[in-house]
Amino acid sequence: MAVTKKEFADRMAENGGITKKAAYKAVDAFIETIMDYMGEDEKVMFVGFGRFEMRTFKEKKCRNPQGGADCIIPEHKKMRFYASELLTDRIEELERED
């Protein structure tokens, strides 16, 4: 199940003891700020959580599975998140508790 932005902001308000309105603004500001840095090709690192960065994928040849025609996927960039070891360990702990 995926968590929506609204659900995330509601939980953030609950956990942070702030109003829902303030949490929605904070989530929007966080997303905008990450997008700004990604547009500048900067890495955004949160110690103990992970890092966001843009990766460049080279042009590659592929085949359309529906028609079988050859095609080329041009060079492009994608944002990636890399979880820190601390975050990975915490998630594994939570999974063991279930």
Side-chain angles (χ1 to χ4, degrees):
M1 180 180 110
V3 175
T4 65
K5 187 164 106 174
K6 180 186 181 321
E7 292 168 334
F8 184 85
D10 288 346
R11 172 92 51 103
M12 192 170 134
E14 188 178 305
N15 288 345
I18 58 176
T19 65
K20 288 183 179 183
K21 187 175 184 178
Y24 296 146
K25 279 186 169 183
V27 170
D28 284 337
F30 177 81
I31 291 169
E32 280 297 317
T33 305
I34 291 287
M35 289 170 50
D36 287 346
Y37 278 114
M38 294 299 102
E40 297 167 5
D41 259 353
E42 295 285 338
K43 292 180 185 176
V44 178
M45 298 174 17
F46 297 102
V47 175
F49 183 70
R51 75 181 188 277
F52 296 88
E53 67 181 60
M54 294 301 290
R55 285 205 44 216
T56 301
F57 291 85
K58 294 181 181 178
E59 178 180 286
K60 68 178 183 179
K61 295 178 185 177
C62 66
R63 183 167 298 211
N64 183 334
Q66 291 179 335
D70 289 337
C71 59
I72 294 177
I73 298 176
E75 184 177 282
H76 60 284
K77 293 183 177 190
K78 288 187 179 183
M79 186 174 83
R80 291 285 190 237
F81 174 74
Y82 300 92
S84 73
E85 194 172 319
L86 183 65
L87 177 61
T88 303
D89 292 345
R90 181 155 181 212
I91 291 169
E92 287 173 359
E93 282 178 28
L94 292 171
E95 287 176 347
R96 282 192 291 260
E97 290 176 4
D98 288 341

